[in-house]
Structures are given as C-alpha cells and as structure tokens.
Amino acid sequence: MKRNGDLHKKGQSLIEFALLLPVFLLVAVIIFDLGRAVYYYSAVHNAAREGARYGAVYPNDSNGMKTRAVNYAIGLGLTTTNVAAGAGTPIVVGGFSNPTVKVTVTYSFTPATPLLGRFLPGGAITLKGEAVMRTESLPSP
C-alpha cells in the first residue's frame, strides 16, 4: 500500500518537470540557432574565398567570380546581388605592384527563435565574408 507522501513526491516531480521543460527547450533551440549562425558564417567566408580564387586566375571576369561565390555558398540561397567582386588594392612588394581581386559576400541571417530575434537590431544579423587574393599575373615594374 502506498503512503500518501509518495504520491505528493511524484506530483511534485511532475510539476517541476512541466515548469522546466519550456526553459530547457528554449535554451536548446537558441543553441541550435547559434550553431546555424556559425555554419552560415563559415559558408559565407568560404564562398568569398572561392570567388577570390577564381578571380586570381581570371581577374577581369567579375560575373564569373560572383557565380563561383554563389555556387559555393551551399544551403544559403544566395544570388549574385549578395556578392560584390572586382579589383582590390594592389600590393607593392620590392618595387613591384601586384594587382589583387576582392570578393565580398553578405548574407542576412534570421534566427528561428523569436526570442533571440528580439535582441538583434532588425531581428537579423548581417554576416559578411571578404577575401582578397593576388592575381596570377607577372608583376609590372
């Protein structure tokens, strides 16, 4: 036969679980959102680097750099309007000027958690990846 005190302990545990479950789920979803943000930042940076690598070989093909960056931004759904590509500031080494290309990729990350979105200005974070590479051409004196 169960004592009356055992029933109260089980009921107390159930109420504590019911009170803590929403907090636990909210923390879990926020951690999931932060993981997504880190992945998207990595993908944006990788896309910019791949666009710049293409531009190092074909420095006059800015559309090709943009297309390459969009193709390497896996899972983001970027378009060429999110990518800026063109000539960068030349690097001067030993009296020689080495031309560079610069690719910038921007992405607006919106968290899935509405509570996290309230703490962000505009409800989103702008992720930006930039890459600058020297072109593969002979240096000019």
Side-chain angles (χ1 to χ4, degrees), residues 62-71 77-85 104:
S62 63
N63 287 332
M65 288 184 255
K66 290 180 181 183
T67 303
R68 183 74 169 246
V70 167
N71 290 341
L78 289 181
T79 62
T80 55
T81 58
N82 299 97
V83 182
T104 305

Side-chain angles (χ1 to χ4, degrees), residues 117-138:
R118 287 186 175 187
F119 292 111
L120 302 173
I125 302 171
T126 301
L127 303 175
K128 183 178 176 181
E130 239 177 37
V132 177
M133 290 193 183
R134 289 187 291 177
T135 60
E136 293 184 5
S137 61
L138 295 174

Side-chain angles (χ1 to χ4, degrees), residues 42-80:
S42 175
V44 163
H45 183 72
N46 185 43
R49 186 176 62 242
E50 288 296 328
R53 285 181 63 199
Y54 179 84
V57 178
Y58 306 104
N60 297 326
D61 187 10
S62 63
N63 287 332
M65 288 184 255
K66 290 180 181 183
T67 303
R68 183 74 169 246
V70 167
N71 290 341
Y72 274 84
I74 298 171
L76 299 184
L78 289 181
T79 62
T80 55

